[in-house]
Tab-separated table of all heavy atoms in Angstrom:
chain	number	residue	atom	x	y	z
A	165	ARG	N	-98.336	-83.889	-102.829
A	165	ARG	CA	-97.566	-83.609	-104.047
A	165	ARG	C	-96.122	-83.428	-103.638
A	165	ARG	O	-95.814	-82.560	-102.817
A	165	ARG	CB	-98.073	-82.349	-104.745
A	165	ARG	CG	-99.516	-82.438	-105.204
A	165	ARG	CD	-99.947	-81.146	-105.888
A	165	ARG	NE	-101.386	-81.121	-106.098
A	165	ARG	CZ	-102.271	-80.681	-105.213
A	165	ARG	NH1	-101.827	-80.216	-104.044
A	165	ARG	NH2	-103.554	-80.702	-105.468
A	166	PHE	N	-95.255	-84.244	-104.199
A	166	PHE	CA	-93.848	-84.238	-103.794
A	166	PHE	C	-92.968	-84.238	-105.026
A	166	PHE	O	-93.212	-84.967	-106.004
A	166	PHE	CB	-93.536	-85.457	-102.929
A	166	PHE	CG	-92.085	-85.586	-102.609
A	166	PHE	CD1	-91.526	-84.860	-101.565
A	166	PHE	CD2	-91.256	-86.436	-103.320
A	166	PHE	CE1	-90.171	-84.976	-101.251
A	166	PHE	CE2	-89.908	-86.566	-103.027
A	166	PHE	CZ	-89.365	-85.832	-101.972
A	167	GLU	N	-91.908	-83.429	-104.974
A	167	GLU	CA	-90.920	-83.423	-106.048
A	167	GLU	C	-89.529	-83.255	-105.449
A	167	GLU	O	-89.278	-82.338	-104.663
A	167	GLU	CB	-91.175	-82.296	-107.042
A	167	GLU	CG	-90.199	-82.304	-108.204
A	167	GLU	CD	-90.536	-81.306	-109.306
A	167	GLU	OE1	-91.415	-80.456	-109.067
A	167	GLU	OE2	-89.922	-81.381	-110.387
A	168	LEU	N	-88.639	-84.185	-105.793
A	168	LEU	CA	-87.246	-84.115	-105.374
A	168	LEU	C	-86.401	-83.649	-106.555
A	168	LEU	O	-86.366	-84.308	-107.598
A	168	LEU	CB	-86.761	-85.487	-104.893
A	168	LEU	CG	-85.295	-85.583	-104.495
A	168	LEU	CD1	-84.975	-84.653	-103.313
A	168	LEU	CD2	-84.896	-87.018	-104.170
A	169	LEU	N	-85.713	-82.516	-106.378
A	169	LEU	CA	-84.854	-81.968	-107.420
A	169	LEU	C	-83.416	-82.352	-107.115
A	169	LEU	O	-82.831	-81.852	-106.135
A	169	LEU	CB	-85.014	-80.453	-107.506
A	169	LEU	CG	-86.442	-79.974	-107.814
A	169	LEU	CD1	-86.542	-78.467	-107.751
A	169	LEU	CD2	-86.871	-80.465	-109.190
A	170	LEU	N	-82.867	-83.260	-107.869
A	170	LEU	CA	-81.522	-83.766	-107.655
A	170	LEU	C	-80.501	-82.931	-108.411
A	170	LEU	O	-80.727	-82.531	-109.548
A	170	LEU	CB	-81.416	-85.213	-108.105
A	170	LEU	CG	-82.039	-86.262	-107.158
A	170	LEU	CD1	-82.129	-87.608	-107.868
A	170	LEU	CD2	-81.227	-86.379	-105.851
A	171	GLY	N	-79.365	-82.661	-107.770
A	171	GLY	CA	-78.311	-81.871	-108.388
A	171	GLY	C	-77.957	-80.688	-107.514
A	171	GLY	O	-78.299	-80.623	-106.340
A	172	ASP	N	-77.236	-79.753	-108.085
A	172	ASP	CA	-76.824	-78.545	-107.346
A	172	ASP	C	-78.069	-77.692	-107.066
A	172	ASP	O	-78.698	-77.185	-107.999
A	172	ASP	CB	-75.811	-77.759	-108.195
A	172	ASP	CG	-75.154	-76.627	-107.417
A	172	ASP	OD1	-75.777	-76.098	-106.480
A	172	ASP	OD2	-74.014	-76.262	-107.757
A	173	ALA	N	-78.398	-77.519	-105.805
A	173	ALA	CA	-79.615	-76.793	-105.427
A	173	ALA	C	-79.570	-75.357	-105.921
A	173	ALA	O	-80.607	-74.732	-106.163
A	173	ALA	CB	-79.797	-76.822	-103.927
A	174	ARG	N	-78.372	-74.812	-106.101
A	174	ARG	CA	-78.245	-73.436	-106.583
A	174	ARG	C	-78.772	-73.294	-108.008
A	174	ARG	O	-79.307	-72.225	-108.378
A	174	ARG	CB	-76.781	-72.981	-106.515
A	174	ARG	CG	-76.230	-72.919	-105.105
A	174	ARG	CD	-74.752	-72.541	-105.118
A	174	ARG	NE	-73.931	-73.575	-105.753
A	174	ARG	CZ	-72.612	-73.473	-105.955
A	174	ARG	NH1	-71.979	-72.368	-105.588
A	174	ARG	NH2	-71.925	-74.457	-106.518
A	175	GLU	N	-78.638	-74.329	-108.778
A	175	GLU	CA	-79.200	-74.317	-110.136
A	175	GLU	C	-80.654	-74.725	-110.132
A	175	GLU	O	-81.492	-74.122	-110.825
A	175	GLU	CB	-78.376	-75.259	-111.045
A	175	GLU	CG	-76.992	-74.737	-111.374
A	175	GLU	CD	-77.016	-73.431	-112.119
A	175	GLU	OE1	-77.856	-73.292	-113.032
A	175	GLU	OE2	-76.238	-72.528	-111.784
A	176	GLU	N	-80.964	-75.755	-109.374
A	176	GLU	CA	-82.329	-76.285	-109.383
A	176	GLU	C	-83.347	-75.286	-108.845
A	176	GLU	O	-84.479	-75.216	-109.333
A	176	GLU	CB	-82.391	-77.567	-108.534
A	176	GLU	CG	-81.514	-78.712	-109.045
A	176	GLU	CD	-81.907	-79.183	-110.432
A	176	GLU	OE1	-83.103	-79.068	-110.781
A	176	GLU	OE2	-81.022	-79.670	-111.152
A	177	ILE	N	-82.950	-74.473	-107.868
A	177	ILE	CA	-83.902	-73.553	-107.252
A	177	ILE	C	-84.356	-72.464	-108.245
A	177	ILE	O	-85.454	-71.926	-108.114
A	177	ILE	CB	-83.314	-72.918	-105.982
A	177	ILE	CG1	-84.444	-72.359	-105.094
A	177	ILE	CG2	-82.291	-71.850	-106.313
A	177	ILE	CD1	-83.991	-71.948	-103.720
A	178	LYS	N	-83.542	-72.180	-109.224
A	178	LYS	CA	-83.904	-71.171	-110.224
A	178	LYS	C	-85.097	-71.600	-111.058
A	178	LYS	O	-85.814	-70.787	-111.648
A	178	LYS	CB	-82.718	-70.885	-111.133
A	178	LYS	CG	-81.507	-70.305	-110.429
A	178	LYS	CD	-80.332	-70.199	-111.391
A	178	LYS	CE	-79.060	-69.754	-110.678
A	178	LYS	NZ	-77.892	-69.739	-111.592
A	179	GLU	N	-85.325	-72.928	-111.106
A	179	GLU	CA	-86.421	-73.456	-111.927
A	179	GLU	C	-87.738	-73.516	-111.151
A	179	GLU	O	-88.777	-73.820	-111.743
A	179	GLU	CB	-86.054	-74.868	-112.410
A	179	GLU	CG	-84.738	-74.958	-113.170
A	179	GLU	CD	-84.708	-74.030	-114.367
A	179	GLU	OE1	-85.725	-73.999	-115.110
A	179	GLU	OE2	-83.677	-73.329	-114.569
A	180	VAL	N	-87.704	-73.254	-109.863
A	180	VAL	CA	-88.916	-73.322	-109.030
A	180	VAL	C	-89.620	-71.986	-109.115
A	180	VAL	O	-89.033	-70.925	-108.869
A	180	VAL	CB	-88.585	-73.671	-107.579
A	180	VAL	CG1	-89.870	-73.742	-106.743
A	180	VAL	CG2	-87.805	-74.975	-107.496
A	181	ASP	N	-90.907	-72.027	-109.411
A	181	ASP	CA	-91.693	-70.786	-109.560
A	181	ASP	C	-93.099	-71.026	-109.069
A	181	ASP	O	-93.537	-72.172	-108.943
A	181	ASP	CB	-91.690	-70.356	-111.033
A	181	ASP	CG	-92.091	-68.902	-111.216
A	181	ASP	OD1	-92.126	-68.167	-110.204
A	181	ASP	OD2	-92.356	-68.505	-112.364
A	182	LYS	N	-93.807	-69.964	-108.766
A	182	LYS	CA	-95.199	-70.028	-108.324
A	182	LYS	C	-95.336	-70.965	-107.114
A	182	LYS	O	-96.226	-71.814	-107.068
A	182	LYS	CB	-96.102	-70.467	-109.469
A	182	LYS	CG	-96.119	-69.505	-110.654
A	182	LYS	CD	-97.005	-69.969	-111.779
A	182	LYS	CE	-96.954	-69.003	-112.953
A	182	LYS	NZ	-97.783	-69.455	-114.091
A	183	PHE	N	-94.425	-70.795	-106.184
A	183	PHE	CA	-94.415	-71.633	-104.969
A	183	PHE	C	-94.129	-70.704	-103.795
A	183	PHE	O	-93.070	-70.099	-103.734
A	183	PHE	CB	-93.352	-72.709	-105.079
A	183	PHE	CG	-93.416	-73.774	-104.016
A	183	PHE	CD1	-94.097	-74.954	-104.252
A	183	PHE	CD2	-92.806	-73.611	-102.782
A	183	PHE	CE1	-94.189	-75.956	-103.281
A	183	PHE	CE2	-92.885	-74.590	-101.809
A	183	PHE	CZ	-93.555	-75.767	-102.043
A	184	LEU	N	-95.072	-70.572	-102.879
A	184	LEU	CA	-94.878	-69.766	-101.687
A	184	LEU	C	-94.967	-70.673	-100.462
A	184	LEU	O	-96.051	-71.124	-100.090
A	184	LEU	CB	-95.928	-68.649	-101.625
A	184	LEU	CG	-95.753	-67.518	-102.647
A	184	LEU	CD1	-96.875	-66.501	-102.522
A	184	LEU	CD2	-94.389	-66.829	-102.477
A	185	ALA	N	-93.830	-70.924	-99.861
A	185	ALA	CA	-93.742	-71.915	-98.789
A	185	ALA	C	-94.303	-71.379	-97.469
A	185	ALA	O	-93.996	-70.260	-97.061
A	185	ALA	CB	-92.287	-72.328	-98.594
A	186	ASP	N	-95.090	-72.218	-96.817
A	186	ASP	CA	-95.505	-71.960	-95.451
A	186	ASP	C	-94.328	-72.187	-94.505
A	186	ASP	O	-94.272	-71.595	-93.426
A	186	ASP	CB	-96.659	-72.868	-95.059
A	186	ASP	CG	-97.929	-72.549	-95.845
A	186	ASP	OD1	-98.507	-71.496	-95.597
A	186	ASP	OD2	-98.284	-73.364	-96.720
A	187	ALA	N	-93.445	-73.068	-94.921
A	187	ALA	CA	-92.248	-73.354	-94.111
A	187	ALA	C	-91.110	-73.774	-95.024
A	187	ALA	O	-91.297	-74.440	-96.041
A	187	ALA	CB	-92.534	-74.444	-93.092
A	188	VAL	N	-89.895	-73.356	-94.653
A	188	VAL	CA	-88.679	-73.795	-95.319
A	188	VAL	C	-87.837	-74.545	-94.287
A	188	VAL	O	-87.517	-74.011	-93.240
A	188	VAL	CB	-87.859	-72.602	-95.855
A	188	VAL	CG1	-86.541	-73.093	-96.443
A	188	VAL	CG2	-88.659	-71.827	-96.888
A	189	PHE	N	-87.550	-75.823	-94.579
A	189	PHE	CA	-86.639	-76.609	-93.755
A	189	PHE	C	-85.248	-76.494	-94.380
A	189	PHE	O	-85.000	-77.066	-95.424
A	189	PHE	CB	-87.032	-78.075	-93.724
A	189	PHE	CG	-88.363	-78.370	-93.082
A	189	PHE	CD1	-89.010	-79.568	-93.317
A	189	PHE	CD2	-88.955	-77.466	-92.211
A	189	PHE	CE1	-90.239	-79.856	-92.710
A	189	PHE	CE2	-90.169	-77.739	-91.593
A	189	PHE	CZ	-90.800	-78.948	-91.841
A	190	HIS	N	-84.360	-75.733	-93.725
A	190	HIS	CA	-83.005	-75.576	-94.288
A	190	HIS	C	-82.083	-76.502	-93.531
A	190	HIS	O	-81.636	-76.204	-92.439
A	190	HIS	CB	-82.563	-74.123	-94.144
A	190	HIS	CG	-81.551	-73.727	-95.176
A	190	HIS	ND1	-81.760	-72.727	-96.102
A	190	HIS	CD2	-80.317	-74.220	-95.457
A	190	HIS	CE1	-80.688	-72.611	-96.878
A	190	HIS	NE2	-79.813	-73.516	-96.509
A	191	ASP	N	-81.796	-77.651	-94.149
A	191	ASP	CA	-81.083	-78.733	-93.466
A	191	ASP	C	-79.905	-79.240	-94.252
A	191	ASP	O	-79.661	-80.443	-94.340
A	191	ASP	CB	-82.083	-79.869	-93.165
A	191	ASP	CG	-81.566	-80.824	-92.092
A	191	ASP	OD1	-80.607	-80.464	-91.391
A	191	ASP	OD2	-82.127	-81.923	-91.956
A	192	ALA	N	-79.170	-78.287	-94.861
A	192	ALA	CA	-77.932	-78.674	-95.536
A	192	ALA	C	-76.852	-78.987	-94.501
A	192	ALA	O	-77.059	-78.785	-93.306
A	192	ALA	CB	-77.478	-77.529	-96.448
A	193	PHE	N	-75.694	-79.495	-94.957
A	193	PHE	CA	-74.589	-79.680	-94.026
A	193	PHE	C	-74.175	-78.316	-93.480
A	193	PHE	O	-74.552	-77.268	-94.000
A	193	PHE	CB	-73.431	-80.368	-94.719
A	193	PHE	CG	-73.670	-81.849	-94.960
A	193	PHE	CD1	-74.001	-82.329	-96.211
A	193	PHE	CD2	-73.569	-82.755	-93.912
A	193	PHE	CE1	-74.233	-83.671	-96.452
A	193	PHE	CE2	-73.794	-84.119	-94.118
A	193	PHE	CZ	-74.136	-84.578	-95.377
A	194	SER	N	-73.363	-78.318	-92.437
A	194	SER	CA	-73.098	-77.072	-91.694
A	194	SER	C	-72.492	-75.988	-92.591
A	194	SER	O	-71.795	-76.290	-93.553
A	194	SER	CB	-72.192	-77.371	-90.510
A	194	SER	OG	-70.945	-77.827	-90.936
A	195	PRO	N	-72.758	-74.722	-92.241
A	195	PRO	CA	-72.348	-73.599	-93.087
A	195	PRO	C	-70.876	-73.564	-93.465
A	195	PRO	O	-70.539	-73.204	-94.606
A	195	PRO	CB	-72.743	-72.372	-92.258
A	195	PRO	CG	-73.904	-72.840	-91.463
A	195	PRO	CD	-73.606	-74.260	-91.112
A	196	TYR	N	-69.987	-73.931	-92.568
A	196	TYR	CA	-68.565	-73.839	-92.887
A	196	TYR	C	-68.068	-75.000	-93.729
A	196	TYR	O	-66.940	-74.975	-94.221
A	196	TYR	CB	-67.736	-73.713	-91.604
A	196	TYR	CG	-67.971	-72.382	-90.908
A	196	TYR	CD1	-68.832	-72.303	-89.818
A	196	TYR	CD2	-67.364	-71.223	-91.365
A	196	TYR	CE1	-69.061	-71.086	-89.191
A	196	TYR	CE2	-67.591	-70.002	-90.753
A	196	TYR	CZ	-68.447	-69.935	-89.650
A	196	TYR	OH	-68.686	-68.742	-89.041
A	197	ARG	N	-68.899	-76.046	-93.870
A	197	ARG	CA	-68.517	-77.151	-94.745
A	197	ARG	C	-69.367	-77.203	-96.025
A	197	ARG	O	-68.997	-77.871	-96.971
A	197	ARG	CB	-68.650	-78.503	-93.997
A	197	ARG	CG	-67.642	-78.644	-92.864
A	197	ARG	CD	-67.667	-80.041	-92.295
A	197	ARG	NE	-66.707	-80.195	-91.200
A	197	ARG	CZ	-66.990	-79.993	-89.929
A	197	ARG	NH1	-68.221	-79.654	-89.584
A	197	ARG	NH2	-66.085	-80.131	-88.986
A	198	ASN	N	-70.451	-76.488	-96.021
A	198	ASN	CA	-71.385	-76.481	-97.171
A	198	ASN	C	-71.834	-75.046	-97.458
A	198	ASN	O	-73.011	-74.774	-97.583
A	198	ASN	CB	-72.591	-77.354	-96.800
A	198	ASN	CG	-73.412	-77.861	-97.965
A	198	ASN	OD1	-74.453	-78.457	-97.760
A	198	ASN	ND2	-72.992	-77.603	-99.183
A	199	PRO	N	-70.874	-74.095	-97.533
A	199	PRO	CA	-71.213	-72.650	-97.567
A	199	PRO	C	-72.062	-72.242	-98.761
A	199	PRO	O	-72.785	-71.255	-98.679
A	199	PRO	CB	-69.835	-71.967	-97.582
A	199	PRO	CG	-68.908	-72.979	-98.168
A	199	PRO	CD	-69.404	-74.288	-97.646
A	200	GLU	N	-71.968	-72.994	-99.853
A	200	GLU	CA	-72.719	-72.607	-101.059
A	200	GLU	C	-74.221	-72.633	-100.855
A	200	GLU	O	-74.966	-71.967	-101.575
A	200	GLU	CB	-72.327	-73.501	-102.239
A	200	GLU	CG	-72.735	-74.939	-102.155
A	200	GLU	CD	-71.757	-75.839	-101.441
A	200	GLU	OE1	-70.984	-75.336	-100.582
A	200	GLU	OE2	-71.762	-77.061	-101.715
A	201	LEU	N	-74.702	-73.382	-99.849
A	201	LEU	CA	-76.138	-73.449	-99.596
A	201	LEU	C	-76.559	-72.550	-98.437
A	201	LEU	O	-77.706	-72.615	-97.982
A	201	LEU	CB	-76.577	-74.887	-99.337
A	201	LEU	CG	-76.440	-75.848	-100.511
A	201	LEU	CD1	-77.119	-77.168	-100.202
A	201	LEU	CD2	-76.991	-75.254	-101.791
A	202	TRP	N	-75.643	-71.661	-97.996
A	202	TRP	CA	-75.963	-70.752	-96.895
A	202	TRP	C	-75.615	-69.294	-97.254
A	202	TRP	O	-75.637	-68.435	-96.372
A	202	TRP	CB	-75.201	-71.160	-95.633
A	202	TRP	CG	-75.507	-72.550	-95.154
A	202	TRP	CD1	-74.784	-73.679	-95.436
A	202	TRP	CD2	-76.560	-72.981	-94.298
A	202	TRP	NE1	-75.338	-74.775	-94.829
A	202	TRP	CE2	-76.427	-74.354	-94.097
A	202	TRP	CE3	-77.631	-72.313	-93.668
A	202	TRP	CZ2	-77.315	-75.117	-93.313
A	202	TRP	CZ3	-78.488	-73.059	-92.865
A	202	TRP	CH2	-78.338	-74.438	-92.708
A	203	SER	N	-75.271	-69.056	-98.474
A	203	SER	CA	-74.855	-67.690	-98.851
A	203	SER	C	-76.056	-66.768	-98.893
A	203	SER	O	-77.210	-67.186	-99.023
A	203	SER	CB	-74.172	-67.710	-100.221
A	203	SER	OG	-75.133	-67.961	-101.251
A	204	LEU	N	-75.760	-65.454	-98.779
A	204	LEU	CA	-76.833	-64.477	-98.936
A	204	LEU	C	-77.526	-64.643	-100.278
A	204	LEU	O	-78.756	-64.482	-100.397
A	204	LEU	CB	-76.242	-63.070	-98.806
A	204	LEU	CG	-77.232	-61.903	-98.912
A	204	LEU	CD1	-76.803	-60.766	-97.992
A	204	LEU	CD2	-77.358	-61.386	-100.334
A	205	ASP	N	-76.770	-65.004	-101.279
A	205	ASP	CA	-77.293	-65.098	-102.647
A	205	ASP	C	-78.229	-66.308	-102.801
A	205	ASP	O	-79.257	-66.204	-103.495
A	205	ASP	CB	-76.123	-65.204	-103.632
A	205	ASP	CG	-75.093	-64.132	-103.344
A	205	ASP	OD1	-75.235	-63.005	-103.848
A	205	ASP	OD2	-74.149	-64.382	-102.545
A	206	PHE	N	-77.926	-67.416	-102.149
A	206	PHE	CA	-78.830	-68.570	-102.195
A	206	PHE	C	-80.062	-68.282	-101.339
A	206	PHE	O	-81.198	-68.623	-101.724
A	206	PHE	CB	-78.125	-69.836	-101.714
A	206	PHE	CG	-78.970	-71.072	-101.816
A	206	PHE	CD1	-79.290	-71.618	-103.053
A	206	PHE	CD2	-79.464	-71.695	-100.686
A	206	PHE	CE1	-80.095	-72.741	-103.157
A	206	PHE	CE2	-80.254	-72.829	-100.769
A	206	PHE	CZ	-80.587	-73.354	-102.017
A	207	LEU	N	-79.857	-67.698	-100.170
A	207	LEU	CA	-80.996	-67.360	-99.312
A	207	LEU	C	-81.927	-66.342	-99.972
A	207	LEU	O	-83.135	-66.334	-99.722
A	207	LEU	CB	-80.492	-66.813	-97.976
A	207	LEU	CG	-79.853	-67.873	-97.056
A	207	LEU	CD1	-79.123	-67.189	-95.904
A	207	LEU	CD2	-80.898	-68.848	-96.522
A	208	LYS	N	-81.375	-65.535	-100.856
A	208	LYS	CA	-82.231	-64.592	-101.610
A	208	LYS	C	-83.172	-65.338	-102.515
A	208	LYS	O	-84.330	-64.939	-102.699
A	208	LYS	CB	-81.323	-63.643	-102.424
A	208	LYS	CG	-82.087	-62.512	-103.121
A	208	LYS	CD	-81.129	-61.578	-103.834
A	208	LYS	CE	-81.892	-60.440	-104.500
A	208	LYS	NZ	-80.962	-59.516	-105.195
A	209	GLU	N	-82.714	-66.439	-103.080
A	209	GLU	CA	-83.588	-67.283	-103.907
A	209	GLU	C	-84.706	-67.909	-103.043
A	209	GLU	O	-85.858	-68.007	-103.465
A	209	GLU	CB	-82.786	-68.393	-104.594
A	209	GLU	CG	-81.918	-67.935	-105.723
A	209	GLU	CD	-82.739	-67.443	-106.914
A	209	GLU	OE1	-83.731	-68.093	-107.274
A	209	GLU	OE2	-82.371	-66.379	-107.463
A	210	ILE	N	-84.341	-68.308	-101.835
A	210	ILE	CA	-85.369	-68.855	-100.928
A	210	ILE	C	-86.372	-67.803	-100.538
A	210	ILE	O	-87.571	-68.081	-100.450
A	210	ILE	CB	-84.661	-69.462	-99.691
A	210	ILE	CG1	-83.937	-70.750	-100.087
A	210	ILE	CG2	-85.679	-69.731	-98.575
A	210	ILE	CD1	-83.174	-71.403	-98.973
A	211	ARG	N	-85.895	-66.580	-100.317
A	211	ARG	CA	-86.810	-65.474	-99.968
A	211	ARG	C	-87.897	-65.324	-101.031
A	211	ARG	O	-89.046	-65.002	-100.721
A	211	ARG	CB	-86.024	-64.180	-99.828
A	211	ARG	CG	-86.860	-62.999	-99.299
A	211	ARG	CD	-86.081	-61.699	-99.399
A	211	ARG	NE	-86.719	-60.627	-98.684
A	211	ARG	CZ	-87.761	-59.931	-99.116
A	211	ARG	NH1	-88.299	-60.241	-100.313
A	211	ARG	NH2	-88.291	-58.952	-98.403
A	212	ARG	N	-87.528	-65.533	-102.276
A	212	ARG	CA	-88.480	-65.435	-103.367
A	212	ARG	C	-89.595	-66.477	-103.290
A	212	ARG	O	-90.687	-66.265	-103.829
A	212	ARG	CB	-87.694	-65.608	-104.688
A	212	ARG	CG	-88.491	-65.654	-105.951
A	212	ARG	CD	-87.609	-65.736	-107.168
A	212	ARG	NE	-86.797	-66.929	-107.222
A	212	ARG	CZ	-87.205	-68.090	-107.729
A	212	ARG	NH1	-88.430	-68.217	-108.199
A	212	ARG	NH2	-86.401	-69.140	-107.754
Side-chain angles (χ1 to χ4, degrees):
R165 298 181 191 88
F166 174 81
E167 183 173 11
L168 177 62
L169 300 175
L170 284 168
D172 190 332
R174 296 177 294 176
E175 289 298 317
E176 298 298 332
I177 200 169
K178 297 173 186 177
E179 305 303 316
V180 181
D181 198 13
K182 298 179 181 178
F183 191 94
L184 289 178
D186 293 289
V188 176
F189 295 162
H190 206 119
D191 198 15
F193 286 103
S194 63
Y196 292 100
R197 293 189 180 91
N198 200 186
E200 68 273 26
L201 295 189
W202 301 95
S203 71
L204 181 145
D205 312 273
F206 184 70
L207 289 168
K208 187 176 181 180
E209 287 293 317
I210 288 177
R211 187 189 191 281
R212 175 177 62 85

